[in-house]
Amino acid sequence: MTVEPQSEGAELTEAAWQRLDPRVLAVFPLRQAGALIPVVVVLLISGQGQGGWQLLAALAPVLVVLGIGVTRWATVRYRVGEERVELRGGLIHREQRSLRRDRVRTVDLRANPAHRIFGLTVVEIGTGSSSTKEGRLSLDAVPVAEGERLRARLLSRSPSAAPAGRTSAVSTAETSPAAGPSQPGLDPTLGQRAIEVARLHPSWLRYAPLTGSGLVAVGAVVGTAFRVASDAGLDLTSWVTLQIAGDELTAVPLWMEIAVIALVVLLMAGLGSLVIYLEGWWGYRLTREPDDTLRLRRGLLTTRSLSVEQGRMRGAEVAEPLLLRLVGGARCTAITTGLDAKTSNRGALLPPAPIAEAHRVAAAALLLTDPSSGTDAPLVRHPPAALRRRLTRALLPAVGIALLAWVLHDTVPWLDWAWPGALLLLPLAALLAADRYRNLGHALRPDYLVISQGSLIRRRVALQRRGIIGWQLRQSPPQRWAGLATLDAVTAAGAGRYSVVDVPLARAVALVDQVNPGLLPTG
């Protein structure tokens, strides 16, 4: 959608309803072409000896799509007033929706290949409401320049003043106009005052194969293979097919079969992860805009632009999944209110990158000059009782499984292998418990409460002290016997609750009193 032609930099006419851009008549059919082509081919091939009727049946889906596009162009309008953003449309079922401008929290830009061909983008206007439909308006599609003006206008508020003693942690110079945007299809102009926080580095691609997206790619390839085989009349799950495959594989040593299958899966997962990484994070650039928002741009085929208001930031999280952690990699996400988890990729500020870069970006996002004041703060370790609890919870299930395997290995012959395998669980469980304890800790900094925990995914959270709206102190019977407690810091952002686990009870009370003096009764 777009406004009527106007001079560059001119303001929108607030009183007038704006018509859809005529280029949407081409974008909509192009977006549906992938689904239309198989339908048209089937209709052309299946009909025999029907002459003109066959051609008419094949053209019908195309005409329907064109009709829908024309209807949208003729009926949908939007306008931006002083107090509200309004959208209306529909031919048979007419609908009018509006959002109050003072409730607008996010204005994100997204452009798939069809939009980019015609220089358009989708403007997603959100209020941060849990209801996706009621809390969002989607303007599909407006010219890129108009999308930028809408974003700047709807997010134009008095910038939140940073607390005393805190300055921007970004260290790069202001971006010059000659540098140009990293994604030409999405951001034709970048303000001279925009400051670059981070951009994609080619060496980060080495982290792509260590993300879980490769398993998704393997599943997609396997699913496609089964579908193609089914279309060819071959049932890969039938007993006859499996028997033939088994007869062929018996001529190959078992170790070679396992090695080949493992190698194929690893290659597919690695290549799939690399493709997904490139499509999602190509052209990645994080900047601090003149309106004091963090703006993230990324995407190869479908470009995306996410804006995060500084005033709504409540913290940052650095997560280290096990595989990334083994090679020194991590992710960084924002803890903020008003973000849609689906459209914002759960607030991700950085692709998988070196751990030092993740802590640096987290500090820059929180306007900290030193990462040690945030997610990289030195931690206060929890007492040995916390280690004993982790050893108990990890070893008891492992011992139970080992005993069960020992009982069954004589009575169930085909489970002979399970007994020695179950014994390996004991040292693995002990190592897991020790690692969970090693990663357990917390720190109280001048502006942030820092919490660390986890093993398979180690997480460091820097939670803004003034963003904590409540506390919850919990003790299970084993915790009471050990003199420990779990302290939950409640906030309106992110997961909503961040826990300091297995901390001494006196320390938990002291943390609450230090963050919110006078909250707890004395005496």
Side-chain angles (χ1 to χ4, degrees):
M1 305 176 200
T2 187
V3 297
E4 300 293 341
Q6 57 183 6
S7 61
E8 184 70 18
E11 292 292 327
L12 293 171
T13 304
E14 296 182 354
W17 288 94
Q18 311 300 324
R19 182 184 290 274
L20 288 166
D21 190 291
R23 285 173 288 185
V24 76
L25 297 175
V27 170
F28 187 74
L30 189 59
R31 290 171 58 186
Q32 306 301 320
L36 283 178
I37 291 174
V39 176
V40 173
V41 171
V42 169
L43 289 174
L44 286 173
I45 295 176
S46 60
Q48 296 181 358
Q50 298 179 6
W53 289 107
Q54 176 184 351
L55 181 60
L56 182 60
L59 290 177
V62 180
L63 296 176
V64 170
V65 170
L66 289 175
I68 294 174
V70 171
T71 301
R72 293 185 62 192
W73 178 81
T75 61
V76 177
R77 302 284 191 278
Y78 77 95
R79 68 179 177 183
V80 179
E82 289 293 337
E83 297 183 356
R84 289 186 173 273
V85 183
E86 299 175 89
L87 177 69
R88 71 182 185 187
L91 182 61
I92 299 176
H93 175 70
R94 296 190 62 82
E95 181 181 27
Q96 181 165 335
R97 298 169 54 207
S98 67
L99 298 178
R100 286 175 49 184
R101 285 189 57 178
D102 60 359
R103 294 189 59 197
V104 172
R105 299 293 178 256
T106 60
V107 182
D108 306 328
L109 306 183
R110 172 173 50 85
N112 60 33
H115 290 106
R116 298 177 68 185
I117 289 174
F118 293 96
L120 302 175
T121 187
V122 180
V123 180
E124 297 279 356
I125 306 169
T127 62
S129 169
S130 58
S131 172
T132 302
K133 182 177 180 180
E134 297 300 326
R136 298 189 72 85
L137 288 181
S138 180
L139 306 183
D140 184 5
V142 303
V144 172
E146 189 58 42
E148 293 290 339
R149 282 194 290 269
L150 282 171
R151 190 200 73 85
R153 186 180 183 197
L154 292 175
L155 291 179
S156 61
R157 299 183 180 89
S158 298
S160 303
R166 291 166 58 194
T167 57
S168 176
V170 291
S171 59
T172 53
E174 294 184 352
T175 304
S176 64
S182 60
Q183 297 178 22
L186 188 59
D187 183 21
T189 58
L190 185 63
Q192 293 184 2
R193 292 175 54 202
I195 301 176
E196 182 177 284
V197 177
R199 66 166 61 229
L200 184 67
H201 195 282
S203 64
W204 297 355
L205 295 178
R206 68 183 185 272
Y207 298 110
L210 302 176
T211 60
S213 56
L215 299 178
V216 177
V218 171
V221 171
V222 172
T224 303
F226 272 86
R227 183 171 181 178
V228 171
S230 178
D231 293 340
L234 178 62
D235 186 3
L236 296 180
T237 61
S238 69
W239 175 252
V240 175
T241 303
L242 294 176
Q243 190 173 25
I244 294 174
D247 292 340
E248 294 293 332
L249 291 175
T250 52
V252 181
L254 179 60
W255 67 268
M256 187 176 294
E257 297 173 15
I258 297 175
V260 170
I261 292 174
L263 181 61
V264 170
V265 171
L266 287 175
L267 286 175
M268 290 172 56
L271 290 175
S273 297
L274 183 60
V275 170
I276 293 173
Y277 190 104
L278 288 173
E279 201 290 320
W281 293 100
W282 181 264
Y284 161 77
R285 195 176 183 207
L286 184 66
T287 57
R288 185 168 296 283
E289 298 296 305
D291 55 5
D292 201 27
T293 61
L294 276 177
R295 188 172 185 189
L296 184 150
R297 301 170 179 83
R298 63 187 181 91
L300 179 61
L301 298 178
T302 298
T303 56
R304 305 164 183 88
S305 172
L306 169 70
S307 297
V308 180
E309 287 184 278
Q310 190 65 44
R312 306 193 69 80
M313 288 281 291
R314 297 295 179 265
E317 176 181 287
V318 173
E320 302 170 72
L322 183 59
L323 291 179
L324 283 177
R325 182 176 151 201
L326 292 176
V327 295
R331 302 173 184 268
C332 177
T333 58
I335 299 175
T336 179
T337 60
L339 280 187
D340 184 289
K342 182 177 179 181
T343 58
S344 68
N345 195 21
R346 301 187 180 278
L349 295 178
L350 185 74
I355 179 65
E357 181 69 8
H359 285 304
R360 187 192 69 81
V361 169
L366 300 178
L367 297 178
L368 297 173
T369 56
D370 187 358
S372 64
S373 297
T375 55
D376 201 24
L379 298 176
V380 175
R381 296 297 175 186
H382 292 193
L387 174 60
R388 292 194 294 270
R389 277 179 43 80
R390 271 142 191 78
L391 286 171
T392 301
R393 290 191 293 178
L395 287 175
L396 282 181
V399 170
I401 293 173
L403 289 176
L404 181 63
W406 179 72
V407 170
L408 295 178
H409 85 283
D410 286 333
T411 57
V412 185
W414 57 272
L415 284 178
D416 287 342
W417 60 270
W419 163 239
L423 291 178
L424 293 176
L425 291 177
L426 298 176
L428 290 176
L431 288 174
L432 178 64
D435 187 59
R436 291 184 62 205
Y437 174 72
R438 186 170 64 90
N439 299 328
L440 191 65
H442 69 278
L444 193 61
R445 311 303 289 171
D447 296 306
Y448 291 90
L449 171 64
V450 183
I451 304 171
S452 174
Q453 61 175 302
S455 179
L456 298 180
I457 301 179
R458 181 167 63 185
R459 301 180 187 277
R460 283 278 194 107
V461 173
L463 189 63
Q464 193 177 64
R465 290 171 58 165
R466 62 185 178 88
I468 298 175
I469 60 176
W471 299 92
Q472 182 178 14
L473 189 64
R474 297 181 284 123
Q475 277 188 303
S476 65
Q479 283 180 316
R480 286 199 297 271
W481 300 332
L484 303 176
T486 295
L487 180 64
D488 297 327
V490 182
T491 181
R497 176 181 299 176
Y498 296 90
S499 302
V500 185
V501 182
D502 284 348
V503 66
L505 181 59
R507 176 59 178 165
V509 174
L511 279 174
V512 175
D513 190 59
Q514 287 176 289
V515 175
N516 298 116
L519 179 65
L520 298 177
T522 58

